[in-house]
Amino acid sequence: MTRFSLGGDEDGEGPSSPRHKKRRLVFGTAASIAAIRERRRLELQVVEEEESDEQVETEEEEESEEEEEEEDEEEEEETEGDGDGREQPNNNSNEPPVHQPQQANRSSGSMLPWRCRERTSLQLGSASGTLASIEVPALNTTFTDRAISITLTDPDVLDCPICCESLTVPVFQCENGHIACSSCSMKIKNKCPSCSWPIGYNRCRAIEKVLESIRMSCQNIKYGCKEWMTCNKKSEHEKACMYTPCSCPHLGCNFVSSTKKLYQHFSSNHVNSATHFAYNCSFSITINFNDKFLVLQEQNDGILFILDNETESVGKMVKVSCIQPRFMGGFFYDLTAKTKGCLLRLQSFTSSTPSHVHSPTSSGCLIIPSDFFGSCGQLKMDICIWRNGQCPPSFRCIDLT
């Protein structure tokens, strides 16, 4: 029968086992430790020898590279002396060519990849649609000049797909990625119209980052506007842009441009088609019963006005409007019609319109009975148009509210 024991005085043979067996175990353990130390010392010695060999090889390689560079320089000098001016490749070297531009860019202080910094223009959107120019931060090596030009072939991608207005922060998205502006999310009661999933709770940070980064040109850039703005300011700017296109009121003319160029165009091409006048001075005009409108042009500023003569059931409805962007203020005018001891008078402000469009209105107009035109079908009227921001003292005391 065999007995096994752990610890105590027993060593596998009972209490009568001699003590020298345990001492032999201790002696054997010390010998093993010494052998391990000797093995480690030999390993360290081998490692040191290998490192010294590698260092020697590295020094030899550096010396050989220096010699090759000196030989290349000598060859270049000889080549320049012969008048060739071309670099001769080193056929003796088996080393692969080094891409110097990549190393130079990687060694610069910028943390951006060199391939990205070399890229200066992008084209986004589909191949169809109108073009719009935008600027985004560029991947350049400096922070002072980080703008690149991008051609956006479909500017509608930056508009809300529901209200078709320019997207502004915050922008929300549903689980399927459909986006909507903040106001539309509330109007549709937080239900995506495309997939019926909830919308209005998760922000679309990617689109918001794009909207905050880019600078877009005004849509009136082809008419002379040079303003750049963020997406959320684009709609506000275009509503008050001085370069809003206006159409020529002359029949058969399709000229469209800013007000300044439009006035110059009309003065050059249709000079005899308008009645010229001066601000704050009364002048007379004669209008026929069948005339649709008359064109008036200020002789100094060249601003164009339209005297509409629209037919009504009781006679004619006459009013004055100005060809200019809608946001611009009107001009005060005084209109008087006389016939056979009767007098009709209208004091009002001109409406602003970028194109001459017949738009019936019940305010700011003078209703003239058909009898005022007489048998000849003509009516003489006196008009006085005051400079913008001015009006007669007698009109200032009238409360228009």
Side-chain angles (χ1 to χ4, degrees):
M1 183 173 65
T2 306
R3 291 180 56 191
F4 295 92
S5 63
L6 298 176
D9 295 332
E10 299 179 358
D11 194 19
E13 296 183 0
S16 61
S17 299
R19 293 289 182 180
H20 65 273
K21 292 185 178 180
K22 194 169 184 179
R23 287 197 296 271
R24 283 199 302 270
L25 180 61
V26 175
F27 296 155
T29 303
S32 301
I33 294 173
I36 292 172
R37 290 178 178 175
E38 181 66 18
R39 192 181 305 114
R40 289 182 178 177
R41 187 183 64 80
L42 294 175
E43 290 177 355
L44 292 175
Q45 183 177 358
V46 172
V47 171
E48 291 177 357
E49 291 177 356
E50 291 178 354
E51 290 180 353
S52 62
D53 293 340
E54 290 179 357
Q55 184 175 1
V56 172
E57 291 177 359
T58 304
E59 293 177 355
E60 291 177 355
E61 290 178 359
E62 292 178 354
E63 291 178 358
S64 62
E65 290 178 358
E66 292 177 358
E67 292 176 357
E68 290 177 359
E69 290 179 358
E70 292 177 358
E71 292 176 0
D72 293 340
E73 292 177 357
E74 292 176 359
E75 290 179 359
E76 291 177 359
E77 292 176 357
E78 292 176 358
T79 304
E80 292 176 356
D82 295 337
D84 188 7
R86 296 176 296 179
E87 294 184 358
Q88 299 296 331
N90 185 10
N91 297 326
N92 297 327
S93 176
N94 295 324
E95 296 180 358
V98 180
H99 300 282
Q100 295 297 335
Q102 182 175 359
Q103 292 180 356
N105 283 291
R106 288 182 177 178
S107 62
S108 61
S110 175
M111 298 299 294
L112 300 174
W114 66 274
R115 291 188 182 88
C116 295
R117 290 195 299 272
E118 290 178 354
R119 194 173 185 178
T120 56
S121 63
L122 298 173
Q123 188 170 359
L124 303 178
S126 60
S128 61
T130 56
L131 299 178
S133 298
I134 64 177
E135 283 190 352
V136 300
L139 302 177
N140 291 337
T141 56
T142 60
F143 288 95
T144 57
D145 184 14
R146 301 189 62 191
I148 60 175
S149 297
I150 294 180
T151 300
L152 190 63
T153 57
D154 186 10
D156 294 340
V157 299
L158 299 177
D159 294 340
C160 175
I162 300 175
C163 64
C164 298
E165 295 291 337
S166 297
L167 286 170
T168 57
V169 179
V171 179
F172 295 97
Q173 64 177 353
C174 68
E175 294 294 333
N176 291 324
H178 302 125
I179 61 175
C181 64
S182 177
S183 59
C184 288
S185 297
M186 294 185 292
K187 291 178 182 178
I188 61 179
K189 298 181 180 180
N190 301 106
K191 185 177 181 180
C192 178
S194 300
C195 62
S196 299
W197 277 79
I199 192 173
Y201 305 102
N202 298 326
R203 300 270 292 272
C204 186
R205 302 291 182 178
I207 292 295
E208 290 181 358
K209 200 69 175 178
V210 171
L211 297 176
E212 293 173 351
S213 300
I214 66 175
R215 298 293 184 271
M216 301 186 67
S217 63
C218 176
Q219 66 177 4
N220 302 322
I221 186 173
K222 61 181 179 180
Y223 301 116
C225 184
K226 299 180 181 179
E227 293 291 330
W228 292 78
M229 71 291 298
T230 56
C231 287
N232 59 338
K233 299 292 184 181
K234 185 174 183 291
S235 179
E236 179 182 353
H237 164 80
E238 290 176 352
K239 290 178 181 178
C241 181
M242 295 297 297
Y243 293 90
T244 300
C246 298
S247 304
C248 180
H250 187 75
L251 292 177
C253 183
N254 297 322
F255 183 82
V256 178
S257 186
S258 62
T259 53
K260 183 178 180 180
K261 292 184 178 180
L262 174 62
Y263 301 155
Q264 295 174 354
H265 159 81
F266 197 93
S267 300
S268 301
N269 297 275
H270 315 295
V271 61
N272 296 323
S273 301
T275 300
H276 294 83
F277 69 95
Y279 288 128
N280 303 355
C281 296
S282 180
F283 61 98
S284 300
I285 60 170
T286 300
I287 186 171
N288 297 318
F289 184 83
N290 294 325
D291 289 340
K292 298 296 183 182
F293 65 94
L294 294 179
V295 180
L296 313 175
Q297 187 173 28
E298 209 280 326
Q299 60 186 11
N300 295 320
D301 295 342
I303 298 179
L304 296 173
F305 296 86
I306 303 296
L307 176 66
D308 286 308
N309 184 33
E310 300 179 4
T311 303
E312 293 290 331
S313 57
V314 295
K316 291 292 183 176
M317 183 179 67
V318 180
K319 64 176 182 178
V320 180
S321 59
C322 179
I323 302 295
Q324 62 181 6
R326 298 185 187 277
F327 68 89
M328 299 185 69
F331 296 77
F332 176 83
Y333 69 95
D334 190 340
L335 177 63
T336 304
K338 299 179 182 179
T339 182
K340 297 178 182 180
C342 297
L343 183 146
L344 296 175
R345 187 177 184 181
L346 171 67
Q347 290 182 329
S348 182
F349 285 91
T350 63
S351 59
S352 299
T353 176
S355 59
H356 179 223
V357 180
H358 294 284
S359 56
T361 179
S362 58
S363 61
C365 61
L366 179 64
I367 303 297
I368 302 177
S370 301
D371 297 341
F372 271 62
F373 287 87
S375 58
C376 60
Q378 292 183 341
L379 176 63
K380 184 179 180 180
M381 294 186 295
D382 296 330
I383 303 178
C384 181
I385 301 178
W386 290 70
R387 191 180 298 276
N388 191 12
Q390 299 180 4
C391 60
S394 59
F395 190 78
R396 297 174 186 172
C397 61
I398 300 177
D399 187 5
L400 299 178
T401 59

